Amino acid sequence: APLGALLSVVVQPLRPLVSPCFDLYVKYGPQEDRPVFERPEMKAMFCRDIVAATEKGIRAPIYDLSLFSRPWPFDPANIQVPIHFYHGDADTIVPLSHSEYLAETIPDTTLEVLEGLGHFAGFMSAPRVLDRIGEVWDQREKSDASLSPKELELPSRDSSVA
């Protein structure tokens, strides 16, 4: 908390520099992510997000960083829904090995490695991701059509996996 409070004081005056700092990141950051950030609407979205995230200080982002170094409060092997991961093989922020581990650990999971794409591969592959969501949705509707109304009810919070 003290580090977050201190950094909040330092970051507040820097908020007007978000656009030029973003431009520097695009220029010198991972080459694989540049096509995403060169789109004006993406720059506008990310700059708005950065300003909003720092509006009340940066305690929350500092807390997020501290959580990255801690074990999760659940076992990923207990996840009981199908998952389809997309991961750029040129991601310099989250190693591909993280998605590979989760794909091996979580039942009914697939991993699609996106060649030559970086951390923001999802933005570069939006049509592919949305097509996959549509396929899963269609499959789910077909399987749900054969279920009774009772079987379609969501589980209560008491029966959820901790």
Side-chain angles (χ1 to χ4, degrees), residues 1 40 45 47-48 50 61 64 79 89 98 101 105 114 121 128 130 136-137 143 145 154 158-161:
M45 180 190 75
C47 287
R48 272 193 316 269
I50 291 166
D64 284 351
I79 295 174
D89 68 351
H98 288 201
Y101 167 77
T105 304
L114 304 171
R128 172 189 275 158
L130 293 173
V136 170
W137 190 271
S143 68
L154 294 174
D158 296 336
S159 65
S160 65
V161 177

Side-chain angles (χ1 to χ4, degrees), residues 43-60:
K43 177 181 179 176
M45 180 190 75
F46 277 92
C47 287
R48 272 193 316 269
D49 286 352
I50 291 166
V51 168
T54 60
E55 209 163 71
K56 295 185 179 181
I58 61 168
R59 288 184 182 113

Side-chain angles (χ1 to χ4, degrees), residues 62-147:
I62 295 295
Y63 182 66
D64 284 351
L65 289 172
S66 73
L67 291 177
F68 291 140
S69 63
R70 296 181 186 167
W72 290 352
F74 65 94
D75 182 354
N78 292 332
I79 295 174
Q80 297 179 8
V81 295
I83 297 175
H84 188 89
F85 285 108
Y86 296 88
H87 200 115
D89 68 351
D91 188 336
T92 59
I93 298 172
V94 177
L96 178 58
S97 61
H98 288 201
S99 290
E100 291 170 335
Y101 167 77
L102 290 171
E104 291 170 8
T105 304
I106 302 169
D108 200 14
T109 297
T110 54
L111 169 62
E112 187 171 341
V113 178
L114 304 171
E115 279 190 49
L117 296 182
H119 186 69
F120 297 96
F123 289 106
M124 302 285 291
S125 305
R128 172 189 275 158
V129 173
L130 293 173
D131 286 347
R132 177 70 180 144
I133 291 170
E135 290 169 13
V136 170
W137 190 271
D138 290 344
Q139 291 170 357
R140 180 68 186 247
E141 282 185 334
K142 288 175 188 172
S143 68
D144 285 353
S146 65
L147 298 175

